[in-house]
Amino acid sequence: MCKKPLVGIVMGSDSDWSLVKKSVDIFKKFDVEFEARVISAHRTPGLAADYASSAEERGLQVIIAAAGGAAHLGGVLAAHTVLPVVGIPVAGGALNGLDSLYATIQMPSGIPVATVTLGSAGPVNAALFAVQILGGANPELRAKYHDYKEELKEKVTKGNERINADLQD
Amino acid sequence: MCKKPLVGIVMGSDSDWSLVKKSVDIFKKFDVEFEARVISAHRTPGLAADYASSAEERGLQVIIAAAGGAAHLGGVLAAHTVLPVVGIPVAGGALNGLDSLYATIQMPSGIPVATVTLGSAGPVNAALFAVQILGGANPELRAKYHDYKEELKEKVTKGNERINADLQD
Amino acid sequence: MCKKPLVGIVMGSDSDWSLVKKSVDIFKKFDVEFEARVISAHRTPGLAADYASSAEERGLQVIIAAAGGAAHLGGVLAAHTVLPVVGIPVAGGALNGLDSLYATIQMPSGIPVATVTLGSAGPVNAALFAVQILGGANPELRAKYHDYKEELKEKVTKGNERINADLQD
Amino acid sequence: MCKKPLVGIVMGSDSDWSLVKKSVDIFKKFDVEFEARVISAHRTPGLAADYASSAEERGLQVIIAAAGGAAHLGGVLAAHTVLPVVGIPVAGGALNGLDSLYATIQMPSGIPVATVTLGSAGPVNAALFAVQILGGANPELRAKYHDYKEELKEKVTKGNERINADLQD
Amino acid sequence: MCKKPLVGIVMGSDSDWSLVKKSVDIFKKFDVEFEARVISAHRTPGLAADYASSAEERGLQVIIAAAGGAAHLGGVLAAHTVLPVVGIPVAGGALNGLDSLYATIQMPSGIPVATVTLGSAGPVNAALFAVQILGGANPELRAKYHDYKEELKEKVTKGNERINADLQD
Amino acid sequence: MCKKPLVGIVMGSDSDWSLVKKSVDIFKKFDVEFEARVISAHRTPGLAADYASSAEERGLQVIIAAAGGAAHLGGVLAAHTVLPVVGIPVAGGALNGLDSLYATIQMPSGIPVATVTLGSAGPVNAALFAVQILGGANPELRAKYHDYKEELKEKVTKGNERINADLQD
Amino acid sequence: MCKKPLVGIVMGSDSDWSLVKKSVDIFKKFDVEFEARVISAHRTPGLAADYASSAEERGLQVIIAAAGGAAHLGGVLAAHTVLPVVGIPVAGGALNGLDSLYATIQMPSGIPVATVTLGSAGPVNAALFAVQILGGANPELRAKYHDYKEELKEKVTKGNERINADLQD
Amino acid sequence: MCKKPLVGIVMGSDSDWSLVKKSVDIFKKFDVEFEARVISAHRTPGLAADYASSAEERGLQVIIAAAGGAAHLGGVLAAHTVLPVVGIPVAGGALNGLDSLYATIQMPSGIPVATVTLGSAGPVNAALFAVQILGGANPELRAKYHDYKEELKEKVTKGNERINADLQD
């Protein structure tokens, strides 16, 4: 990871790490430089402000923010940057993530946080969305994305074979 | 309002003002010094940080935060102060305030925002709660609060008279 | 609008137009070329497929999809393109947009639709998010976005003045 | 399965297969020819379009679509056919299927997807509903359905015996 | 309406009539014979049982049931017939139809009620679904349905023209 | 159980029996004669109608109805009797009983089903409520109920002792 | 109203009176003696305790409690009496009565509040349920209730005539 | 615990004790005198009234109330005291605590219960909030709270180290 990261992955607590690792897998697959940080909007507000404020000049292109409960992280980062911020609402807790979904997505006019799937698909889709953004200036990345879509189709074909084999039995 | 304010009322947008004015009415009734500010956690994050960080040394005892939608204001202020922060979730919008309720109350362990009624009772109850807090060091305020509870009872008595008059007709 | 559009705004019904116009206002403000289409995922599925499949080669960089109810439009477009698709869930109807929020955002692993605010802030934030994406390759646009953030702050300052004037009275 | 299938069962992922098998059990019980396919509205949109577009001329009478999350499958198939499409919302995930219920049933005016029970009764009831549809032109099938209703009654009688035996103890 | 009706439209209260009339419009458009009845599952349970029990021998092919609140009508009719029962959950009331949606669709294993859109699209889609069912044995009806799908497309084209005219201004 | 039952406990499926047994425990404790039946509103609609229609003349004073999902049982029984029907919404399933709560309680004007707690307290409270009803004509039962309330208090006292012992450690 | 009341109708605020009057209409129709009181569980807790504690000896047979928001009234009354307490959850406010429904019905094991329809049918059904309870010891009341059920049927017949007249036009 | 308690922790059932213990840990950490009681609003209403009525003169400064289901405890205590009452909604049960959240927070105008996080963070945050209130008159406590905020930051730093170590592997 010696090259300058293009994507900053921020999570509100290290307990989100096992989920957020799925974003890492996507970036490794697409060979996209990234960095990962635990930054709490509430426990380390100064750090959150500094991270987002300096993100543009440090060369980041996209910020991904994962948080649960009263998930303010995406909004707090978006408040301090002009970069696109992609929110991952983390499921779990008594409201099972409905709180994090609403707290992440319902941003007021002027400060968007574009939010992805609540649940295990969230970190995968956040990373893929970042790759789609980066693809605008990187034809190689875009080509890889076309390949990725073919892979998705192949999995469906395999699923089809499996269930029809099962039906023959 | 020449004396030093004890309570800071912060709202995320001046569109919340007509609602938040009900807090003002309570503070005037109890003769409690307050100040009111529009501070957006997302549009003016620096201002929010400065306001909360300096609140203790400026002599505030309680902060009230009113916001709607992805209501991060209470949490952002609480992140920067050791003062008690009371949250007013503002109803309205497509989710009718369920987003602001969850975004205000579901704070992570370590950073409480004590939240009051979603709906028109919210700003009244937030201000009353602040009065209850201040009452701990102010016996005169506590005495007034006992009177206030009597007033509440009298309204019920009047309501009773009204409906029984209606039944006689 | 003679230059090639960079953003395609797609709405599921022309009844969404009054809402989606707010996206148009943002693009005009930032001087970003766009196009707008009514395409129904259900009534004109072939058109949806064609639009998304050809979007990349036609030079679009971002697709915005606005739909209500069982809002499949974002997902259907995302299925046919490698471009980032930003979803606007349209409020209204018996479930007041909770259906469109869930149907837009809960995409399966592999096919992201990054979704913005349910409610009137949605089309504004979708357009701003597109501007943030385009800003990665366009320093001028990014500079304008910094200006825009200043404007947001000024509105808060004005709001502050208004409520404090009101308090003096 | 050498005769031409009358019902096409489509599922969005082979992970839905263990649930969807309950539809298969019903069709076997009623001796109704069917076929089963994994087709993803998002990963294989072309396949979905082709399947539904050709369904009528291939002799299918009913299509059953099972999907979870942002369950677009039923709607996407219905967009491409004049056959009745019966939706099975698959429970599970962070929203426990409320997303799939809303995304399946809340179709716009003009493109119905008739949706059955969210939960384990879903695939049973979807298949039974298909049998009811086919029964309109098949008196033998209708007769079997009358028998099936008698079976349901007998199960209740047995349940009664069981609890009353338990009460005697 | 001298020919024998093929579809029975049942509503729980005559207050549902203004909504249910939209089903009537569809049947008139497709020239499908129908009958309409107010039958309450709770106020006239005997009538409900008789209606459903005799529906098959009276030649009905499909029953449509519209009800609000604790909407038991679809389930009560389905209990007494082998015909397909299509449920229209009627929106309104304190829970805005979420009660009628759940009470209509969440039928136990063995007794399906296939349910359509909650909201104004419901009666349109219920009637269209009945037409799709009847189309299985009526090629003329199926041909009309293909025409209907073309009409839907044309409305989208017109919507497109309208918004692009608006954009030119 | 040789005396004539005063309460009829009806459940929609014998799978509800382990829950409904808690009602039985209460009736045994209060020495109230009861009977228990599995009657499905959907699988055995005729039985449901007969049971409720004959309940008054058979000497029943209260009917308790327990059902899950689209819980029509309480409403169907209430349609056929002038006796008070107490509904137990059974939790479980994909909507975790929210469907049974709404389907039981949201009865239209004219046909009440008085509904108790969703969850494990439901069958206890339904039975206690029946005892309260029967107490109107049975002073001995009422006296026992006063004793029962004392028992409830004693449990709280014991709980207090337990936690304070724990605190001393 | 010179005879001793059998039913006590209690409401948390005189703003509930226009709703609760529908209970009064039912009691007048059935000629059942009642009394009506405004008693707030929170503003007049002592009054609530006194009212419920003395209800039995004053000859009341049933208490009806109507309240909105955090509707504690039913539970507070039930805590102090062995009489059956019927809860009317009052709709309205930011959560549109979902709060009052849950706060009324979700009573812990041991203290039932049997709850009726959320919405305008609530006070009608609460009163009818009280009449059903009182009917156990009053054959005349029970006979009137049978008549009432006939009236309900007649309304359905009239509704039928109205819509069929409309269809003829 | 020989000094006079400043905070009274009240829980509705001793089954809440394992959760409420987290409040105790905070008070021990901050060296704040407290007392803990099991008091049921419904099973021991007199005790609840007495406890709250005498709390002020016994020297309590804050009352914390933890309850689940139809959680009336906070409201019932607040009805009888002018002290600030902080509510802990206890998760669990069929509605997973949504009932306790609404029943605790949705207090009517005049009787606030300031409510904290639904879920395991609740008792921690309730206790911290009480410490913030007490800090107004206790500079030493306030100093400790500043230290506590530093500890929170250190945990984030450690989390950061952990995930970056994991990334190096």
Side-chain angles (χ1 to χ4, degrees):
Chain A
M1 252 156 286
C2 42
K3 279 190 284 178
K4 235 168 58 174
L6 298 173
V7 182
I9 311 173
V10 186
M11 69 210 83
S13 159
D14 63 336
S15 65
D16 301 327
W17 178 230
S18 63
L19 183 75
V20 170
K21 262 182 176 165
K22 296 184 181 188
S23 292
V24 170
D25 294 343
I26 293 292
F27 289 128
K28 287 187 171 162
K29 178 186 183 75
F30 279 93
D31 216 10
V32 167
E33 295 302 313
F34 67 93
E35 63 184 21
R37 293 283 182 280
V38 179
I39 299 176
S40 163
H42 301 122
R43 293 170 186 136
T44 58
L47 187 55
D50 293 348
Y51 185 84
S53 302
S54 66
E56 187 188 7
E57 66 181 28
R58 289 196 304 110
L60 291 183
Q61 294 284 332
V62 186
I63 294 176
I64 291 175
H72 300 184
L73 185 60
V76 164
L77 296 174
H80 289 281
T81 185
V82 300
L83 297 179
V85 175
V86 180
I88 301 174
V90 175
L95 295 171
N96 207 16
L98 209 59
D99 42 5
S100 64
L101 173 58
Y102 291 172
T104 302
I105 198 171
Q106 286 301 90
M107 292 294 290
S109 179
I111 316 281
V113 172
T115 307
V116 294
T117 321
L118 177 70
S120 62
V124 176
N125 281 355
L128 289 173
F129 195 76
V131 172
Q132 289 178 331
I133 290 174
L134 296 171
N138 183 334
E140 192 185 348
L141 211 51
R142 198 135 272 177
K144 277 186 196 166
Y145 208 102
H146 280 281
D147 295 348
Y148 176 72
K149 293 201 89 140
E150 289 306 311
E151 283 175 42
L152 293 175
K153 281 182 197 168
E154 280 157 33
K155 274 187 205 154
V156 173
T157 308
K158 291 234 170 82
N160 241 317
E161 285 162 7
R162 188 172 79 75
I163 69 154
N164 279 291
D166 196 23
L167 269 176
Q168 306 307 346
D169 293 347
Chain B
M1 247 155 289
C2 42
K3 281 190 282 176
K4 235 168 59 175
L6 297 174
V7 182
I9 311 173
V10 186
M11 68 212 83
S13 159
D14 64 336
S15 65
D16 302 327
W17 179 230
S18 62
L19 183 74
V20 169
K21 262 182 175 166
K22 296 184 181 187
S23 292
V24 170
D25 294 342
I26 293 292
F27 290 129
K28 288 185 172 164
K29 178 185 183 76
F30 281 93
D31 217 8
V32 167
E33 295 303 313
F34 68 92
E35 63 183 23
R37 294 281 183 281
V38 180
I39 300 176
S40 164
H42 302 121
R43 292 170 187 136
T44 58
L47 187 55
D50 291 348
Y51 185 84
S53 303
S54 67
E56 188 187 7
E57 67 181 27
R58 288 196 306 110
L60 291 183
Q61 293 282 334
V62 186
I63 295 176
I64 291 175
H72 300 182
L73 185 60
V76 163
L77 296 174
H80 288 282
T81 185
V82 301
L83 297 179
V85 176
V86 180
I88 302 173
V90 176
L95 295 171
N96 207 17
L98 209 60
D99 42 4
S100 64
L101 173 58
Y102 292 173
T104 302
I105 199 172
Q106 287 302 90
M107 292 294 291
S109 179
I111 316 282
V113 172
T115 307
V116 293
T117 321
L118 176 71
S120 63
V124 176
N125 282 354
L128 289 173
F129 195 77
V131 172
Q132 290 178 329
I133 290 174
L134 296 172
N138 185 334
E140 193 185 347
L141 210 52
R142 199 135 272 177
K144 277 187 195 167
Y145 209 100
H146 281 280
D147 295 345
Y148 176 72
K149 294 202 89 141
E150 290 306 311
E151 282 176 43
L152 292 175
K153 281 181 198 170
E154 280 157 33
K155 275 188 205 155
V156 174
T157 307
K158 292 235 171 81
N160 240 318
E161 285 162 7
R162 189 173 78 76
I163 70 154
N164 279 291
D166 196 22
L167 269 177
Q168 306 306 347
D169 292 347
Chain C
M1 248 157 286
C2 43
K3 279 189 285 177
K4 236 167 58 174
L6 297 174
V7 182
I9 312 172
V10 186
M11 70 210 82
S13 159
D14 63 336
S15 65
D16 302 327
W17 178 230
S18 63
L19 183 75
V20 170
K21 262 182 176 166
K22 296 184 180 187
S23 292
V24 169
D25 293 344
I26 293 292
F27 289 128
K28 286 185 173 164
K29 178 186 183 76
F30 280 93
D31 217 9
V32 166
E33 295 302 313
F34 67 94
E35 64 184 22
R37 294 283 183 279
V38 180
I39 300 176
S40 164
H42 302 121
R43 293 171 186 135
T44 58
L47 187 56
D50 291 349
Y51 184 83
S53 302
S54 66
E56 188 188 8
E57 66 181 28
R58 287 195 306 111
L60 292 183
Q61 293 283 332
V62 185
I63 295 176
I64 291 175
H72 300 183
L73 185 60
V76 163
L77 296 174
H80 288 281
T81 184
V82 300
L83 296 179
V85 175
V86 180
I88 302 174
V90 175
L95 295 171
N96 208 15
L98 208 60
D99 42 4
S100 64
L101 173 57
Y102 291 173
T104 302
I105 199 172
Q106 286 302 89
M107 292 293 291
S109 179
I111 315 282
V113 172
T115 308
V116 294
T117 321
L118 177 70
S120 62
V124 176
N125 282 354
L128 289 173
F129 195 76
V131 172
Q132 290 179 330
I133 291 174
L134 295 172
N138 184 335
E140 192 185 347
L141 209 52
R142 198 136 272 175
K144 278 187 195 166
Y145 208 101
H146 281 281
D147 295 347
Y148 176 73
K149 293 200 89 139
E150 289 307 311
E151 282 175 43
L152 292 175
K153 281 182 198 167
E154 279 157 34
K155 274 188 206 154
V156 173
T157 307
K158 291 233 170 84
N160 240 319
E161 285 162 7
R162 188 172 78 76
I163 70 154
N164 278 291
D166 196 22
L167 269 176
Q168 305 306 346
D169 293 348
Chain D
M1 247 155 291
C2 42
K3 280 190 283 178
K4 236 167 59 174
L6 297 174
V7 182
I9 311 173
V10 185
M11 68 210 84
S13 158
D14 63 336
S15 65
D16 302 327
W17 178 231
S18 63
L19 184 74
V20 170
K21 262 183 175 165
K22 296 184 181 187
S23 291
V24 169
D25 294 344
I26 293 292
F27 289 129
K28 287 186 172 163
K29 178 187 182 74
F30 281 92
D31 216 9
V32 167
E33 295 302 312
F34 68 93
E35 62 183 22
R37 293 283 183 281
V38 180
I39 301 176
S40 164
H42 301 121
R43 293 170 187 136
T44 57
L47 187 55
D50 291 349
Y51 185 83
S53 303
S54 66
E56 188 189 6
E57 66 181 28
R58 288 197 304 110
L60 292 183
Q61 293 283 334
V62 186
I63 294 176
I64 291 175
H72 299 183
L73 185 59
V76 163
L77 296 174
H80 289 281
T81 185
V82 301
L83 297 179
V85 176
V86 179
I88 301 174
V90 176
L95 295 171
N96 207 16
L98 209 59
D99 42 5
S100 64
L101 173 58
Y102 290 172
T104 302
I105 199 172
Q106 286 302 89
M107 293 293 291
S109 179
I111 316 282
V113 172
T115 307
V116 293
T117 321
L118 177 70
S120 62
V124 176
N125 281 354
L128 289 173
F129 195 76
V131 172
Q132 290 179 331
I133 291 175
L134 296 172
N138 184 334
E140 192 185 347
L141 209 53
R142 199 136 272 176
K144 278 186 194 166
Y145 208 102
H146 280 281
D147 295 345
Y148 176 73
K149 292 200 90 139
E150 289 307 309
E151 283 175 43
L152 292 175
K153 281 182 197 167
E154 280 157 34
K155 275 188 205 155
V156 173
T157 308
K158 292 235 171 81
N160 242 315
E161 286 162 7
R162 188 172 80 75
I163 70 154
N164 279 290
D166 197 22
L167 269 176
Q168 306 307 346
D169 294 346
Chain E
M1 248 157 286
C2 41
K3 280 191 283 177
K4 239 169 55 176
L6 298 174
V7 182
I9 311 173
V10 186
M11 68 211 83
S13 159
D14 63 337
S15 65
D16 302 326
W17 179 229
S18 63
L19 184 75
V20 170
K21 262 182 177 167
K22 296 185 182 187
S23 292
V24 169
D25 294 342
I26 293 292
F27 290 128
K28 287 186 173 165
K29 179 185 182 76
F30 280 94
D31 217 9
V32 166
E33 294 302 312
F34 68 94
E35 64 184 21
R37 294 282 183 280
V38 179
I39 300 176
S40 164
H42 302 120
R43 293 169 187 137
T44 57
L47 187 55
D50 291 348
Y51 185 84
S53 302
S54 67
E56 188 187 7
E57 67 182 27
R58 287 195 305 110
L60 292 183
Q61 294 282 333
V62 185
I63 294 175
I64 291 175
H72 300 183
L73 185 60
V76 163
L77 296 174
H80 289 281
T81 185
V82 301
L83 296 180
V85 176
V86 179
I88 301 174
V90 175
L95 295 171
N96 208 15
L98 209 59
D99 42 4
S100 64
L101 173 58
Y102 291 173
T104 303
I105 199 172
Q106 287 302 90
M107 292 293 291
S109 179
I111 316 281
V113 172
T115 308
V116 294
T117 320
L118 177 70
S120 63
V124 176
N125 282 353
L128 289 173
F129 195 76
V131 172
Q132 290 179 331
I133 290 174
L134 296 172
N138 184 334
E140 192 185 347
L141 210 52
R142 198 136 271 176
K144 277 187 196 166
Y145 209 101
H146 280 281
D147 295 347
Y148 176 73
K149 293 201 90 143
E150 289 307 310
E151 281 175 44
L152 292 175
K153 280 182 197 167
E154 278 157 34
K155 275 188 205 153
V156 173
T157 307
K158 292 233 170 84
N160 240 317
E161 285 162 8
R162 188 173 79 76
I163 70 154
N164 279 291
D166 196 23
L167 269 176
Q168 305 307 346
D169 292 348
Chain F
M1 247 154 288
C2 41
K3 281 190 284 178
K4 235 168 59 174
L6 298 173
V7 182
I9 312 172
V10 186
M11 69 211 83
S13 158
D14 62 336
S15 65
D16 302 326
W17 178 230
S18 62
L19 184 75
V20 171
K21 262 182 175 166
K22 296 184 181 186
S23 292
V24 170
D25 293 344
I26 293 292
F27 289 128
K28 287 187 173 163
K29 177 186 183 75
F30 280 93
D31 216 8
V32 167
E33 295 303 313
F34 67 94
E35 63 183 22
R37 294 282 183 282
V38 180
I39 300 177
S40 165
H42 301 121
R43 293 171 186 136
T44 57
L47 187 55
D50 291 348
Y51 185 84
S53 303
S54 66
E56 188 188 6
E57 65 182 28
R58 289 196 305 111
L60 291 182
Q61 293 283 333
V62 186
I63 295 176
I64 291 174
H72 300 183
L73 185 60
V76 163
L77 296 174
H80 288 280
T81 185
V82 301
L83 297 179
V85 176
V86 180
I88 302 174
V90 176
L95 295 171
N96 207 15
L98 209 58
D99 42 6
S100 63
L101 173 58
Y102 291 171
T104 302
I105 198 171
Q106 287 302 90
M107 292 294 291
S109 179
I111 315 281
V113 172
T115 307
V116 294
T117 321
L118 177 69
S120 62
V124 176
N125 282 354
L128 289 173
F129 194 76
V131 172
Q132 290 178 331
I133 291 175
L134 296 171
N138 185 334
E140 192 185 347
L141 210 52
R142 198 135 272 178
K144 277 187 195 166
Y145 208 102
H146 280 281
D147 295 347
Y148 176 73
K149 293 201 91 141
E150 289 306 310
E151 283 175 42
L152 292 175
K153 281 183 197 168
E154 280 158 33
K155 275 188 204 155
V156 173
T157 307
K158 292 235 170 81
N160 241 317
E161 287 162 7
R162 189 173 79 76
I163 69 154
N164 279 291
D166 196 21
L167 269 177
Q168 306 306 347
D169 293 346
Chain G
M1 252 157 284
C2 41
K3 282 189 282 176
K4 236 168 57 176
L6 297 174
V7 182
I9 311 174
V10 186
M11 68 211 84
S13 159
D14 63 337
S15 65
D16 302 326
W17 179 230
S18 63
L19 183 74
V20 170
K21 262 182 176 166
K22 296 183 181 189
S23 292
V24 170
D25 294 343
I26 293 292
F27 290 128
K28 288 186 173 164
K29 179 185 182 76
F30 281 93
D31 216 9
V32 166
E33 294 303 312
F34 67 93
E35 62 184 22
R37 293 282 183 281
V38 179
I39 301 177
S40 165
H42 302 121
R43 293 171 187 136
T44 58
L47 187 55
D50 292 348
Y51 185 83
S53 303
S54 66
E56 188 187 8
E57 66 182 27
R58 288 196 305 112
L60 291 183
Q61 294 282 333
V62 185
I63 295 176
I64 291 175
H72 300 182
L73 185 60
V76 164
L77 296 174
H80 289 281
T81 185
V82 301
L83 296 179
V85 176
V86 180
I88 301 174
V90 175
L95 295 171
N96 207 16
L98 209 59
D99 41 6
S100 65
L101 173 58
Y102 291 173
T104 302
I105 199 171
Q106 287 302 91
M107 292 294 291
S109 179
I111 316 282
V113 172
T115 308
V116 294
T117 321
L118 177 70
S120 62
V124 177
N125 282 354
L128 289 173
F129 195 77
V131 172
Q132 290 178 330
I133 290 174
L134 296 172
N138 185 334
E140 192 186 346
L141 210 52
R142 198 135 273 176
K144 277 187 197 166
Y145 208 101
H146 281 281
D147 295 347
Y148 176 72
K149 292 201 89 139
E150 289 307 310
E151 282 175 43
L152 293 175
K153 282 182 197 168
E154 278 156 35
K155 275 187 205 155
V156 173
T157 307
K158 291 234 171 83
N160 240 317
E161 284 162 9
R162 189 173 78 77
I163 70 154
N164 279 291
D166 197 20
L167 269 177
Q168 306 307 345
D169 292 347
Chain H
M1 250 155 287
C2 41
K3 279 189 284 177
K4 234 168 57 176
L6 298 174
V7 182
I9 312 173
V10 186
M11 69 210 83
S13 159
D14 63 337
S15 65
D16 301 326
W17 178 230
S18 62
L19 184 75
V20 170
K21 262 183 176 165
K22 296 184 182 188
S23 291
V24 170
D25 294 343
I26 292 292
F27 290 128
K28 288 185 173 165
K29 178 186 183 76
F30 281 93
D31 216 10
V32 166
E33 294 304 312
F34 67 93
E35 62 183 21
R37 294 283 183 281
V38 180
I39 300 177
S40 165
H42 302 121
R43 293 170 186 136
T44 58
L47 186 56
D50 292 348
Y51 185 84
S53 302
S54 66
E56 188 188 7
E57 65 181 30
R58 288 196 306 110
L60 291 183
Q61 294 283 332
V62 185
I63 295 176
I64 291 175
H72 299 184
L73 185 59
V76 163
L77 296 174
H80 289 280
T81 184
V82 300
L83 297 179
V85 176
V86 180
I88 302 174
V90 176
L95 295 171
N96 208 16
L98 208 59
D99 42 5
S100 64
L101 173 58
Y102 290 172
T104 302
I105 199 172
Q106 287 302 89
M107 291 294 289
S109 179
I111 316 281
V113 172
T115 307
V116 294
T117 321
L118 176 70
S120 62
V124 176
N125 281 354
L128 289 172
F129 195 77
V131 172
Q132 289 178 331
I133 290 174
L134 296 172
N138 185 333
E140 192 185 348
L141 210 51
R142 198 135 273 176
K144 277 186 195 166
Y145 208 102
H146 280 282
D147 295 347
Y148 176 72
K149 293 201 90 142
E150 289 307 311
E151 282 175 42
L152 292 175
K153 281 182 198 168
E154 279 157 34
K155 275 187 204 154
V156 173
T157 308
K158 291 233 170 82
N160 241 316
E161 285 162 8
R162 188 172 78 75
I163 70 154
N164 279 291
D166 196 21
L167 269 176
Q168 305 307 347
D169 292 346

